[in-house]
Amino acid sequence: MSETRKLPELFGSMVFNEQTMKERLSAASYGAWKRCVTGGTALDLSTANEIAQAMKQWAVERGATHFTHWFQPMTGVTAEKHDSFIAPIGGGRVLMEFSGKELVRGEPDASSFPSGGLRATFEARGYTAWDPTSFAFIKEGSLCIPTAFCSYSGHALDKKTPLLRSMDEVSRQAVRILRLFGDTTTKRVIPQVGPEQEYFLIDRELYRKRQDLRLTGRTLFGAKPPRGQELDDHYYGAIRPRVAAYMRDLDESLWELGIFAKTKHNEVAPSQHEMAPIYTDANTACDQNQLTMEVMKKVAERHGLVCLLHEKPFAGFNGSGKHDNWSLSTDSGENLFKPGDTPGENARFLLFLAAFLKGVDDYQDFLRATVAFPGNDHRLGGLEAPPAILSVFLGDELTAVVNAIIHDTPMEASGKRQLRIGVDVLPAIPQDTTDRNRTSPMAFTGNKFEFRMLGSSQSISGPNIALNTIMAEELRQFADELEPAADFQRALNVLMKRVFTRHRRIIFNGNGYDEAWIREAEQRGLSNFTSAADALPMYTAGKNVELFVRHNIYTEEEIQARAEIHVENYAAVTAIEARTMADMIRHEILPAVSGYAAELCDRIARKDARGMPCEYETRTAKEISALTDALFGACERLERDLDDLPKDPTRAMVYSHDVIVRDMADARTCADRLELLTASDRWPFPTYTQLLFSV
Ligand code: ADP
Ligand code: MG
C-alpha cells in the first residue's frame, strides 16, 4: 500500500458501502435497498439485478475477478467459495458476468460443515442468501458478499441468521417499552457492539519449529522463563519498530475494508497487543470481527510474524480475550444505556438497566455457556481474566441508586436533590469512575456493558445473540406488565423495586480475582462453572431452550444442533492437543533428553577415568534419566487413555476434561522440568524466552 494515500481516500475504499451505492445505483434501486435495510422489505429481482451489475462493475474496476458468498458456519470461522465472473461467450472470448440471482442466492457445496444433525445428506447442500444489511467488500481479488447460510428446510446453519433474528426481536420488545415512555417515532432499536481484540505476535521462524503452535495454536510445553510479565513494563510500553510496522499495515488493511481500527497498545504479557474498532451495529461488528481476525493473520505473514489468536498460547502469561462492548441505540442514535438529563430519560435508563441485571441473573448459565470451549478454559479464572462466575459491575454511584430504589430511601444526589424515580434527575455518572474494575466479567462502563469473558479466537456472534435475546425476553416481560397498567408511574416504581430487590445478588463491585469472592458468590447462589465441560450442558437446559424458541431465535432442533457441535468440538480439540503432545514427546523430547543424558554419561566416564569430580554431570544425568522415564510413562498413559475415549459425545467431553486434561498436565510437568535441565542447544524446540522476547 502506498505511504501517501490519505485516510479519507483509503477508508472503506474496498467496500461497496452506502455512499458507493448512492453514487452507482438509480434512485429507485437505492431507495429499494434502503427500504429493505431499514424496513425489512424484500428486494425484487430487477433491483437485485441492478445492484449486482453495479457491484460487479465497481469490483472489476478494482481488479476483482471472482465473487464469493462469504458466510459463517457453526464452526465459528468464516467460509467462502469463489466463482469467477467470467462466462464464456464462444470464439474463445469471455464476458464478465454476475446476475441478481447470483448476488441474492448461492449454493455452496458445503456439506462438510458441521450441522449438528440438522442436515440429512439428501439436503446436504444448503444455500446462502445475501444479507443486504452488511456491505460487500473486496478481499484479495474477490468480491465478498456477506450471506446467511440455511438448509433447504429453512434451518439456520450459521451464526449470522440467529444474530439477525435476535436483533429484530430485541428491537421489537425495546420499541414497546419506548412507546410507554411516550416515544412515538423510534422504529428500530439496534444493538451496538465494539469488540476489543487481543492477540500475540511471534516470530514466524520460531513458530515453524513448534509443532504444538502449528497444530493447536498454543504451546503444550514450556518452562517458566527467568523473566515473565512481573515488571509490567510491556503494558502500554513503547511499541517496537517491527510491531509498529505490523500495526500500521494492519490499520491500513482494515481501513480499506471499512473497519475503523482505532486504538492500539501493548497488553500486559510480552508480545501481546490489542486492537479495538469503533463500535457499530451488532451484525456489522460480527462480520468485521471475523474479517479482522483473518486480516490480522494475513498481515502478520507479510512481516515474518505469526499472529496467535488462541486464548492461552503461553501458560503462566496472560491469556487473550475479547471484550464485547454492548449497548442499545435507537434508530436516531440515542443510547438507551446512557443516564439522561430529564426524569423521564432516567426512569427509562433505569428500566433498561433493571432488564439487563435481571437477564444476566436469570441466564448466567447460558451466558457462561456461550464462552465455553477448551481454549477459554485455560484463561477464565487465570491471570488477568475474569472468573467463571457471572456478575455485573455497576460502580458505587449506580449501586447507590439501585439501593435507594430497593429501600425506598430518597438519596442525596449530586446537587443535593432527592432522587425519586421519574421525579428527579440522576446524578451524572461519569464514565471514568465506573470503568476501572478490570476483574469483572460484565462491567457497566458509563453507557454500555463490557462482556469480558469472551475468548480471543471465538466468533462474537454467540454471546451477542444471547445478550440480545435475553434482553428481549426481559423487556417483553416488563412491557407485558406495564402496558395494561392504569397508573404507569406507579407500576414502574413497583416493578423496578421488585426487580432490583430480587436480582441485587448479581451486582458485584469488588475484586473478582479474590478467592473470597468465589465463596461469597456461592453464598449468593450464583453459578460457577469452572470448565467448559461443566458449562456446555447448560446450553440445552429447559429454560434456555424455551427462551430461544419463544423468541424464534432458534428452533429446538437448531439449539440442540449447536450444543452438539460445541460438545463434539470439546473432545475433538482436546484429542488433537493430546496427540500432538504425545507426538512431540516421542519424536522430539524423549530422543533429545535421552541423547543428552547419554552424552553426560560419556563425560562422566571420561572424567572419572582421570579422577576428576563430576558432581554436576552425575546428578543432572540421574535426574534427567528419572524424568525421562516418568515422561515416557506419562506419555504411554496419555496414549492409552486416548484409546479409551468414549464414543458418546457428552461422555467423551467429560472424559476428556477429567482424564485427558489431567494426563496432559502430568506429562507437561515432567517435560518442563526436563527443559530446565537440558543444555539449550539440545532442547528440540524454541523456549518461552525465545518465543516471547524476540519480536
Ligand atoms: P477500554 O480498553 O477501556 O475498554 P477501548 O477504548 O479500548 O476501552 O474500547 C472500548 C470499545 O467499546 C471500543 O470498541 C468502542 O468503540 C466501544 N464502545 C464505545 N461506546 C460504545 C457503545 N455505546 N456501545 C458499544 N460499544 C461501545
Ligand atoms: Mg475493554
Side-chain angles (χ1 to χ4, degrees), residues 436-460:
R436 296 309 136 193
N437 185 329
R438 294 260 156 206
T439 67
S440 175
M442 184 77 84
F444 181 69
T445 50
N447 59 6
K448 61 181 158 66
F449 285 93
E450 189 168 338
F451 188 15
R452 298 187 176 133
M453 290 172 98
L454 283 74
S456 48
S457 71
Q458 81 176 102
S459 158
I460 62 172

PDB file of all heavy atoms in Angstrom, residues 436-460:
ATOM      1  N   ARG A 436     -12.950   1.255  36.125  1.00  0.00           N
ATOM      2  CA  ARG A 436     -11.619   0.776  36.458  1.00  0.00           C
ATOM      3  C   ARG A 436     -11.580  -0.544  37.207  1.00  0.00           C
ATOM      4  O   ARG A 436     -10.560  -0.916  37.746  1.00  0.00           O
ATOM      5  CB  ARG A 436     -10.796   1.878  37.134  1.00  0.00           C
ATOM      6  CG  ARG A 436     -10.563   3.061  36.190  1.00  0.00           C
ATOM      7  CD  ARG A 436     -10.001   2.614  34.826  1.00  0.00           C
ATOM      8  NE  ARG A 436     -10.662   3.293  33.711  1.00  0.00           N
ATOM      9  CZ  ARG A 436     -10.560   2.921  32.435  1.00  0.00           C
ATOM     10  NH1 ARG A 436      -9.838   1.877  32.095  1.00  0.00           N
ATOM     11  NH2 ARG A 436     -11.201   3.559  31.510  1.00  0.00           N
ATOM     12  N   ASN A 437     -12.688  -1.246  37.211  1.00  0.00           N
ATOM     13  CA  ASN A 437     -12.639  -2.593  37.755  1.00  0.00           C
ATOM     14  C   ASN A 437     -12.401  -3.545  36.597  1.00  0.00           C
ATOM     15  O   ASN A 437     -13.290  -3.850  35.820  1.00  0.00           O
ATOM     16  CB  ASN A 437     -13.947  -2.944  38.455  1.00  0.00           C
ATOM     17  CG  ASN A 437     -13.861  -4.298  39.123  1.00  0.00           C
ATOM     18  OD1 ASN A 437     -13.169  -5.184  38.659  1.00  0.00           O
ATOM     19  ND2 ASN A 437     -14.565  -4.454  40.220  1.00  0.00           N
ATOM     20  N   ARG A 438     -11.174  -4.019  36.493  1.00  0.00           N
ATOM     21  CA  ARG A 438     -10.801  -4.860  35.350  1.00  0.00           C
ATOM     22  C   ARG A 438     -11.110  -6.330  35.622  1.00  0.00           C
ATOM     23  O   ARG A 438     -10.821  -7.183  34.812  1.00  0.00           O
ATOM     24  CB  ARG A 438      -9.305  -4.694  35.075  1.00  0.00           C
ATOM     25  CG  ARG A 438      -8.971  -3.310  34.623  1.00  0.00           C
ATOM     26  CD  ARG A 438      -8.825  -3.291  33.116  1.00  0.00           C
ATOM     27  NE  ARG A 438      -9.067  -1.968  32.606  1.00  0.00           N
ATOM     28  CZ  ARG A 438      -9.495  -1.739  31.384  1.00  0.00           C
ATOM     29  NH1 ARG A 438      -9.746  -2.722  30.564  1.00  0.00           N
ATOM     30  NH2 ARG A 438      -9.687  -0.508  30.968  1.00  0.00           N
ATOM     31  N   THR A 439     -11.625  -6.605  36.812  1.00  0.00           N
ATOM     32  CA  THR A 439     -11.785  -8.005  37.185  1.00  0.00           C
ATOM     33  C   THR A 439     -13.200  -8.498  36.963  1.00  0.00           C
ATOM     34  O   THR A 439     -13.504  -9.647  37.222  1.00  0.00           O
ATOM     35  CB  THR A 439     -11.434  -8.209  38.669  1.00  0.00           C
ATOM     36  OG1 THR A 439     -12.417  -7.538  39.472  1.00  0.00           O
ATOM     37  CG2 THR A 439     -10.060  -7.658  38.996  1.00  0.00           C
ATOM     38  N   SER A 440     -14.086  -7.612  36.535  1.00  0.00           N
ATOM     39  CA  SER A 440     -15.482  -8.009  36.390  1.00  0.00           C
ATOM     40  C   SER A 440     -15.739  -8.655  35.032  1.00  0.00           C
ATOM     41  O   SER A 440     -15.255  -8.174  34.015  1.00  0.00           O
ATOM     42  CB  SER A 440     -16.381  -6.789  36.541  1.00  0.00           C
ATOM     43  OG  SER A 440     -17.719  -7.161  36.286  1.00  0.00           O
ATOM     44  N   PRO A 441     -16.529  -9.715  35.010  1.00  0.00           N
ATOM     45  CA  PRO A 441     -16.848 -10.344  33.730  1.00  0.00           C
ATOM     46  C   PRO A 441     -17.847  -9.529  32.911  1.00  0.00           C
ATOM     47  O   PRO A 441     -17.959  -9.715  31.707  1.00  0.00           O
ATOM     48  CB  PRO A 441     -17.468 -11.684  34.129  1.00  0.00           C
ATOM     49  CG  PRO A 441     -17.953 -11.481  35.517  1.00  0.00           C
ATOM     50  CD  PRO A 441     -17.058 -10.470  36.152  1.00  0.00           C
ATOM     51  N   MET A 442     -18.587  -8.626  33.585  1.00  0.00           N
ATOM     52  CA  MET A 442     -19.608  -7.841  32.881  1.00  0.00           C
ATOM     53  C   MET A 442     -19.679  -6.476  33.555  1.00  0.00           C
ATOM     54  O   MET A 442     -20.295  -6.326  34.599  1.00  0.00           O
ATOM     55  CB  MET A 442     -20.956  -8.573  32.993  1.00  0.00           C
ATOM     56  CG  MET A 442     -22.081  -7.946  32.233  1.00  0.00           C
ATOM     57  SD  MET A 442     -22.000  -8.264  30.473  1.00  0.00           S
ATOM     58  CE  MET A 442     -22.792  -9.874  30.372  1.00  0.00           C
ATOM     59  N   ALA A 443     -18.998  -5.522  32.974  1.00  0.00           N
ATOM     60  CA  ALA A 443     -18.878  -4.227  33.644  1.00  0.00           C
ATOM     61  C   ALA A 443     -19.695  -3.160  32.936  1.00  0.00           C
ATOM     62  O   ALA A 443     -19.669  -3.055  31.704  1.00  0.00           O
ATOM     63  CB  ALA A 443     -17.415  -3.809  33.686  1.00  0.00           C
ATOM     64  N   PHE A 444     -20.410  -2.374  33.728  1.00  0.00           N
ATOM     65  CA  PHE A 444     -21.068  -1.200  33.161  1.00  0.00           C
ATOM     66  C   PHE A 444     -20.013  -0.122  33.045  1.00  0.00           C
ATOM     67  O   PHE A 444     -19.366   0.240  34.019  1.00  0.00           O
ATOM     68  CB  PHE A 444     -22.205  -0.736  34.079  1.00  0.00           C
ATOM     69  CG  PHE A 444     -22.926   0.464  33.528  1.00  0.00           C
ATOM     70  CD1 PHE A 444     -23.708   0.347  32.385  1.00  0.00           C
ATOM     71  CD2 PHE A 444     -22.814   1.705  34.142  1.00  0.00           C
ATOM     72  CE1 PHE A 444     -24.363   1.462  31.857  1.00  0.00           C
ATOM     73  CE2 PHE A 444     -23.468   2.820  33.620  1.00  0.00           C
ATOM     74  CZ  PHE A 444     -24.246   2.695  32.479  1.00  0.00           C
ATOM     75  N   THR A 445     -19.793   0.368  31.839  1.00  0.00           N
ATOM     76  CA  THR A 445     -18.738   1.360  31.644  1.00  0.00           C
ATOM     77  C   THR A 445     -19.340   2.662  31.125  1.00  0.00           C
ATOM     78  O   THR A 445     -19.003   3.144  30.055  1.00  0.00           O
ATOM     79  CB  THR A 445     -17.635   0.833  30.701  1.00  0.00           C
ATOM     80  OG1 THR A 445     -18.262   0.324  29.528  1.00  0.00           O
ATOM     81  CG2 THR A 445     -16.850  -0.286  31.337  1.00  0.00           C
ATOM     82  N   GLY A 446     -20.287   3.181  31.915  1.00  0.00           N
ATOM     83  CA  GLY A 446     -20.805   4.522  31.649  1.00  0.00           C
ATOM     84  C   GLY A 446     -22.003   4.574  30.734  1.00  0.00           C
ATOM     85  O   GLY A 446     -23.000   5.234  31.022  1.00  0.00           O
ATOM     86  N   ASN A 447     -21.952   3.863  29.601  1.00  0.00           N
ATOM     87  CA  ASN A 447     -23.086   3.888  28.684  1.00  0.00           C
ATOM     88  C   ASN A 447     -23.194   2.588  27.885  1.00  0.00           C
ATOM     89  O   ASN A 447     -23.856   2.529  26.860  1.00  0.00           O
ATOM     90  CB  ASN A 447     -22.985   5.086  27.729  1.00  0.00           C
ATOM     91  CG  ASN A 447     -21.701   5.022  26.916  1.00  0.00           C
ATOM     92  OD1 ASN A 447     -20.955   4.046  26.977  1.00  0.00           O
ATOM     93  ND2 ASN A 447     -21.451   6.056  26.142  1.00  0.00           N
ATOM     94  N   LYS A 448     -22.509   1.565  28.362  1.00  0.00           N
ATOM     95  CA  LYS A 448     -22.506   0.264  27.679  1.00  0.00           C
ATOM     96  C   LYS A 448     -22.068  -0.788  28.680  1.00  0.00           C
ATOM     97  O   LYS A 448     -21.521  -0.455  29.736  1.00  0.00           O
ATOM     98  CB  LYS A 448     -21.513   0.290  26.516  1.00  0.00           C
ATOM     99  CG  LYS A 448     -20.074   0.553  26.986  1.00  0.00           C
ATOM    100  CD  LYS A 448     -19.081   0.614  25.848  1.00  0.00           C
ATOM    101  CE  LYS A 448     -17.804   1.347  26.136  1.00  0.00           C
ATOM    102  NZ  LYS A 448     -16.886   0.865  27.087  1.00  0.00           N
ATOM    103  N   PHE A 449     -22.304  -2.038  28.348  1.00  0.00           N
ATOM    104  CA  PHE A 449     -21.793  -3.125  29.159  1.00  0.00           C
ATOM    105  C   PHE A 449     -20.629  -3.768  28.429  1.00  0.00           C
ATOM    106  O   PHE A 449     -20.670  -3.929  27.208  1.00  0.00           O
ATOM    107  CB  PHE A 449     -22.883  -4.166  29.435  1.00  0.00           C
ATOM    108  CG  PHE A 449     -23.861  -3.684  30.461  1.00  0.00           C
ATOM    109  CD1 PHE A 449     -25.033  -3.041  30.067  1.00  0.00           C
ATOM    110  CD2 PHE A 449     -23.597  -3.817  31.813  1.00  0.00           C
ATOM    111  CE1 PHE A 449     -25.916  -2.559  31.013  1.00  0.00           C
ATOM    112  CE2 PHE A 449     -24.470  -3.342  32.768  1.00  0.00           C
ATOM    113  CZ  PHE A 449     -25.640  -2.709  32.365  1.00  0.00           C
ATOM    114  N   GLU A 450     -19.639  -4.143  29.203  1.00  0.00           N
ATOM    115  CA  GLU A 450     -18.470  -4.765  28.613  1.00  0.00           C
ATOM    116  C   GLU A 450     -18.421  -6.214  29.091  1.00  0.00           C
ATOM    117  O   GLU A 450     -18.123  -6.483  30.254  1.00  0.00           O
ATOM    118  CB  GLU A 450     -17.227  -3.988  29.056  1.00  0.00           C
ATOM    119  CG  GLU A 450     -15.979  -4.405  28.342  1.00  0.00           C
ATOM    120  CD  GLU A 450     -14.814  -3.432  28.591  1.00  0.00           C
ATOM    121  OE1 GLU A 450     -15.057  -2.266  28.950  1.00  0.00           O
ATOM    122  OE2 GLU A 450     -13.665  -3.850  28.448  1.00  0.00           O
ATOM    123  N   PHE A 451     -18.740  -7.133  28.187  1.00  0.00           N
ATOM    124  CA  PHE A 451     -18.735  -8.565  28.498  1.00  0.00           C
ATOM    125  C   PHE A 451     -17.317  -9.053  28.234  1.00  0.00           C
ATOM    126  O   PHE A 451     -16.866  -9.063  27.089  1.00  0.00           O
ATOM    127  CB  PHE A 451     -19.767  -9.261  27.594  1.00  0.00           C
ATOM    128  CG  PHE A 451     -20.036 -10.710  27.920  1.00  0.00           C
ATOM    129  CD1 PHE A 451     -19.644 -11.290  29.121  1.00  0.00           C
ATOM    130  CD2 PHE A 451     -20.728 -11.504  27.008  1.00  0.00           C
ATOM    131  CE1 PHE A 451     -19.922 -12.623  29.412  1.00  0.00           C
ATOM    132  CE2 PHE A 451     -21.012 -12.845  27.281  1.00  0.00           C
ATOM    133  CZ  PHE A 451     -20.597 -13.399  28.489  1.00  0.00           C
ATOM    134  N   ARG A 452     -16.620  -9.418  29.315  1.00  0.00           N
ATOM    135  CA  ARG A 452     -15.181  -9.664  29.188  1.00  0.00           C
ATOM    136  C   ARG A 452     -14.795 -11.137  29.208  1.00  0.00           C
ATOM    137  O   ARG A 452     -13.622 -11.461  29.315  1.00  0.00           O
ATOM    138  CB  ARG A 452     -14.442  -8.968  30.324  1.00  0.00           C
ATOM    139  CG  ARG A 452     -14.610  -7.460  30.312  1.00  0.00           C
ATOM    140  CD  ARG A 452     -13.709  -6.859  31.375  1.00  0.00           C
ATOM    141  NE  ARG A 452     -13.753  -5.417  31.365  1.00  0.00           N
ATOM    142  CZ  ARG A 452     -13.898  -4.683  32.467  1.00  0.00           C
ATOM    143  NH1 ARG A 452     -14.011  -5.265  33.643  1.00  0.00           N
ATOM    144  NH2 ARG A 452     -13.916  -3.365  32.391  1.00  0.00           N
ATOM    145  N   MET A 453     -15.780 -12.012  29.158  1.00  0.00           N
ATOM    146  CA  MET A 453     -15.435 -13.430  29.262  1.00  0.00           C
ATOM    147  C   MET A 453     -15.114 -14.065  27.910  1.00  0.00           C
ATOM    148  O   MET A 453     -14.650 -15.196  27.854  1.00  0.00           O
ATOM    149  CB  MET A 453     -16.586 -14.199  29.908  1.00  0.00           C
ATOM    150  CG  MET A 453     -16.759 -13.885  31.378  1.00  0.00           C
ATOM    151  SD  MET A 453     -18.262 -14.627  32.006  1.00  0.00           S
ATOM    152  CE  MET A 453     -17.619 -16.107  32.760  1.00  0.00           C
ATOM    153  N   LEU A 454     -15.361 -13.355  26.829  1.00  0.00           N
ATOM    154  CA  LEU A 454     -15.156 -13.955  25.512  1.00  0.00           C
ATOM    155  C   LEU A 454     -13.682 -14.275  25.273  1.00  0.00           C
ATOM    156  O   LEU A 454     -12.810 -13.505  25.672  1.00  0.00           O
ATOM    157  CB  LEU A 454     -15.628 -13.020  24.398  1.00  0.00           C
ATOM    158  CG  LEU A 454     -17.126 -12.928  24.148  1.00  0.00           C
ATOM    159  CD1 LEU A 454     -17.811 -12.132  25.253  1.00  0.00           C
ATOM    160  CD2 LEU A 454     -17.392 -12.272  22.816  1.00  0.00           C
ATOM    161  N   GLY A 455     -13.445 -15.395  24.622  1.00  0.00           N
ATOM    162  CA  GLY A 455     -12.086 -15.745  24.256  1.00  0.00           C
ATOM    163  C   GLY A 455     -11.697 -15.034  22.974  1.00  0.00           C
ATOM    164  O   GLY A 455     -12.546 -14.692  22.152  1.00  0.00           O
ATOM    165  N   SER A 456     -10.383 -14.823  22.795  1.00  0.00           N
ATOM    166  CA  SER A 456      -9.919 -14.031  21.658  1.00  0.00           C
ATOM    167  C   SER A 456     -10.200 -14.680  20.307  1.00  0.00           C
ATOM    168  O   SER A 456     -10.325 -13.993  19.311  1.00  0.00           O
ATOM    169  CB  SER A 456      -8.420 -13.777  21.788  1.00  0.00           C
ATOM    170  OG  SER A 456      -7.748 -14.986  22.092  1.00  0.00           O
ATOM    171  N   SER A 457     -10.308 -16.012  20.259  1.00  0.00           N
ATOM    172  CA  SER A 457     -10.441 -16.656  18.950  1.00  0.00           C
ATOM    173  C   SER A 457     -11.897 -16.852  18.540  1.00  0.00           C
ATOM    174  O   SER A 457     -12.186 -17.182  17.411  1.00  0.00           O
ATOM    175  CB  SER A 457      -9.760 -18.031  18.973  1.00  0.00           C
ATOM    176  OG  SER A 457     -10.514 -18.928  19.772  1.00  0.00           O
ATOM    177  N   GLN A 458     -12.834 -16.635  19.452  1.00  0.00           N
ATOM    178  CA  GLN A 458     -14.201 -17.051  19.159  1.00  0.00           C
ATOM    179  C   GLN A 458     -14.967 -16.026  18.335  1.00  0.00           C
ATOM    180  O   GLN A 458     -14.631 -14.838  18.340  1.00  0.00           O
ATOM    181  CB  GLN A 458     -14.946 -17.377  20.453  1.00  0.00           C
ATOM    182  CG  GLN A 458     -15.503 -16.196  21.221  1.00  0.00           C
ATOM    183  CD  GLN A 458     -16.321 -16.639  22.438  1.00  0.00           C
ATOM    184  OE1 GLN A 458     -15.860 -16.588  23.583  1.00  0.00           O
ATOM    185  NE2 GLN A 458     -17.543 -17.072  22.205  1.00  0.00           N
ATOM    186  N   SER A 459     -15.989 -16.503  17.655  1.00  0.00           N
ATOM    187  CA  SER A 459     -16.910 -15.594  16.984  1.00  0.00           C
ATOM    188  C   SER A 459     -17.700 -14.875  18.058  1.00  0.00           C
ATOM    189  O   SER A 459     -18.099 -15.470  19.056  1.00  0.00           O
ATOM    190  CB  SER A 459     -17.854 -16.396  16.084  1.00  0.00           C
ATOM    191  OG  SER A 459     -19.025 -15.642  15.839  1.00  0.00           O
ATOM    192  N   ILE A 460     -17.937 -13.580  17.880  1.00  0.00           N
ATOM    193  CA  ILE A 460     -18.687 -12.844  18.892  1.00  0.00           C
ATOM    194  C   ILE A 460     -20.188 -13.031  18.715  1.00  0.00           C
ATOM    195  O   ILE A 460     -20.975 -12.510  19.488  1.00  0.00           O
ATOM    196  CB  ILE A 460     -18.357 -11.330  18.876  1.00  0.00           C
ATOM    197  CG1 ILE A 460     -18.737 -10.694  17.544  1.00  0.00           C
ATOM    198  CG2 ILE A 460     -16.879 -11.116  19.175  1.00  0.00           C
ATOM    199  CD1 ILE A 460     -18.623  -9.179  17.554  1.00  0.00           C
TER     200      ILE A 460
END
